[in-house]
């Protein structure tokens, strides 16, 4: 019964500040973990369309850190 809950859990971390970027970037760098970043915007249709595929990639490549950044939210 635990497997479906884990499958639904997103492996993509939303970055909402420079501080959170620094934290996750430094943590992944220190661990030698690859980082994949999706720069997005709510008004950009191709970017929004990419979201489910990005989540799918994050599930497939669990050794990498997947980050998403809304360019309008983080200055």
């Amino acid at each position: 019964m635990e497997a479906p809950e884990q499958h639904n859990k997103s492996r993509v971390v939303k970055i909402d500040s420079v501080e959170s970027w620094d934290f996750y970037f430094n943590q992944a760098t220190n661990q030698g973990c690859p980082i994949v970043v999706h720069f997005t915007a709510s008004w950009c249709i191709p970017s929004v369309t990419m979201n489910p595929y990005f989540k799918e990639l994050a599930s497939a490549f669990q050794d990498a850190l997947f980050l998403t950044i809304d360019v309008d939210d983080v200055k």
Side-chain angles (χ1 to χ4, degrees):
M1 287 287 186
E2 289 183 62
E5 288 179 359
Q6 291 176 348
H7 180 69
N8 292 334
K9 187 183 276 189
S10 176
R11 296 195 36 84
V12 177
V13 177
K14 182 177 180 183
I15 300 299
D16 57 3
S17 68
V18 173
E19 292 80 13
S20 64
W21 167 263
D22 288 340
F23 173 78
Y24 287 107
F25 182 83
N26 290 333
Q27 184 179 35
T29 301
N30 290 339
Q31 295 175 358
C33 177
I35 303 169
V36 182
V37 183
H38 178 215
F39 293 95
T40 185
S42 60
W43 50 264
C44 178
I45 300 304
S47 175
V48 172
T49 303
M50 179 66 180
N51 288 337
Y53 299 105
F54 195 70
K55 289 180 181 178
E56 186 177 324
L57 283 172
S59 293
F61 297 95
Q62 296 185 6
D63 292 339
L65 174 62
F66 284 76
L67 305 175
T68 185
I69 302 172
D70 188 317
V71 296
D72 294 326
D73 289 344
V74 179
K75 308 245 184 262

